[in-house]
């Protein structure tokens, strides 16, 4: 099977493919393009895959910085969401996410459609911040 394409701008030593998803008509806005909120939720999920590994458990999204919609996403696009660990604080984990779309009639090329930076907090079962144990971090 062909590996999904990755932009030359993303260093595969830092970035990993967190999610691949095909957009559906149910994900559109009133104008027929993909709803920005749908893409934001996918990006949050993609970033959380990194944060959960680092936190080794429950996390909550505390902030989103600079969510940028670079280009429209269309129905039928295959959206690849890449994530990269940026920073680990006491209880916070910051992850950068980029979304790249593959589209007919040339699905071999990819277009960057969104970028964002998410901050997550490792939380205890009662939802309070807990320290991240870096020594227990899984290799990404
Ligand atoms: C996440 C939550 C538990 C944090 O609780 P809190 O009392 O604000 O915690 P703190 O002030 O101690 O901050 C915890 C960490 O988050 C970081 N943080 C808090 N607000 C931040 C922001 N706006 N941007 C970046 N980092 C932030 C702090 O710097 C701290 O990092 P550190 O421990 O690495 O130094 C609490 O805000 C919460 O439950 N929020 C709702 C989360 C949620 O439901 N998300 C889904 C929305 S649908």
């Amino acid at each position: 099977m062909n590996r999904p394409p990755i932009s030359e701008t993303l260093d595969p030593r830092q970035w990993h493919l967190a999610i691949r998803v095909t957009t559906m008509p149910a994900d559109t806005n009133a104008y027929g393009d993909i709803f920005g909120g749908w893409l934001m939720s996918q990006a949050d999920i993609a970033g959380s895959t990194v944060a959960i590994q680092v936190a080794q458990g429950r996390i909550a999204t505390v902030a989103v910085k600079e969510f940028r919609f670079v280009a429209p996403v269309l129905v039928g696009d295959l959206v690849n969401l890449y994530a990269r660990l940026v920073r680990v604080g006491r209880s916070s984990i910051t992850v950068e996410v980029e979304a790249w779309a593959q589209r007919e009639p040339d699905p071999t090329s990819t277009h960057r459609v969104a970028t964002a930076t998410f901050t997550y907090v490792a939380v205890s079962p009662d939802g309070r911040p807990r320290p991240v144990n870096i020594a227990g971090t899984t290799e990404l």
Side-chain angles (χ1 to χ4, degrees):
M1 192 174 85
N2 288 340
R3 284 169 62 85
I6 183 164
S7 161
E8 290 170 9
T9 65
L10 301 184
D11 182 345
R13 290 167 300 183
Q14 295 184 23
W15 292 85
H16 83 276
L17 181 60
I19 297 179
R20 300 188 88 193
V21 58
T22 302
T23 54
M24 304 292 275
D27 306 322
T28 56
N29 61 23
Y31 311 104
D33 292 331
I34 295 302
F35 175 49
W38 177 87
L39 188 55
M40 291 176 87
S41 70
Q42 297 298 317
D44 189 8
I45 294 167
S48 75
T49 65
V50 173
I52 289 167
Q53 271 189 284
V54 173
Q56 299 281 294
R58 181 172 170 174
I59 54 154
T61 310
V62 74
V64 186
K65 195 173 82 177
E66 294 174 3
F67 200 110
R68 176 148 191 262
F69 296 97
V70 179
V73 180
L74 309 182
V75 173
D77 283 359
L78 177 57
V79 180
N80 302 284
L81 292 117
Y82 298 92
R84 175 176 83 97
L85 180 64
V86 173
R87 179 179 178 275
V88 180
R90 196 186 83 86
S91 68
S92 66
I93 301 147
T94 302
V95 181
E96 196 177 347
V97 175
E98 291 205 359
W100 292 73
Q102 292 172 257
R103 182 174 302 159
E104 298 290 348
D106 181 15
T108 60
S109 69
T110 56
H111 316 267
R112 185 163 63 176
V113 291
T115 62
T117 303
F118 289 84
T119 300
Y120 303 89
V121 175
V123 292
S124 58
D126 65 356
R128 299 303 307 154
R130 64 176 167 86
V132 175
N133 177 10
I134 283 289
T137 298
T138 307
E139 191 178 332
L140 296 168

